[in-house]
Amino acid sequence: MSDTALIVIDVQESFRHRDYWTEDALPAFLERQQALIDGAKAAGIPVLQVFHLADNGAFSASSGHVTTLAPLQITPDAVFKKRRHSALVGTGLDVWLIAQGIRKIIVSGIRTEQCCETTTRHASDLGYAVDFVGEATLTFPMTDAAGRTWSAAEIRARTELVLAGRFARIATVEQALAEQAEKIAA
């Protein structure tokens, strides 16, 4: 069993029903996210899917939108539901990781600067080694208090900057999967 797990955070249809949704970066994200999922499965890395839930709106269970973002294909080894930014708060994910002997996590999903970044910081603080795969994260433009609109690419670059070397290794899909592939080959 691998001591590494892939966490796919909030890759759900709920986002298509938000006013900030845009498909500009969607094709590249889906390709990289699918490559990461498929590569993890091939390498024997458990794939964990996390869904965000809210009491109402597009993220509520009753909305019917808390399902995998199409056309992504995923057969998770475990599914967790969260109500906070960190996938490690109140979900049982931390208990699962400890029980499985996981020491390293690979983070991917939606939104780069929110739930992906928060989970990365939290996991690092708990002692996990973390690979943050920015190319397998997705976010959307945001406007700050001064009226400047930050592009999704700028937000991702900022997130990678503040995580790099402090909370995570910033990795490509191939880099995140390479260590496990080397273990299998050995």
Side-chain angles (χ1 to χ4, degrees), residues 3-4 104 169 174-184:
D3 68 347
T4 300
K104 178 180 181 181
R169 175 179 80 143
E174 292 74 21
Q175 290 167 334
L177 297 172
E179 186 176 304
Q180 186 66 22
E182 290 170 8
K183 288 179 187 177
I184 290 172

Side-chain angles (χ1 to χ4, degrees), residues 17-39:
H17 303 276
R18 299 304 291 240
D19 59 355
Y20 52 75
W21 173 262
T22 176
E23 299 207 3
D24 297 347
L26 186 62
F29 163 72
L30 289 171
E31 188 278 323
R32 295 282 66 204
Q33 182 69 83
Q34 193 68 63
L36 186 57
I37 292 166
D38 295 346

Side-chain angles (χ1 to χ4, degrees), residues 103-116:
R103 299 172 48 86
K104 178 180 181 181
I105 65 168
I106 302 168
V107 174
S108 65
I110 304 175
R111 291 181 67 172
T112 307
E113 79 292 351
Q114 291 186 33
C115 297
C116 295

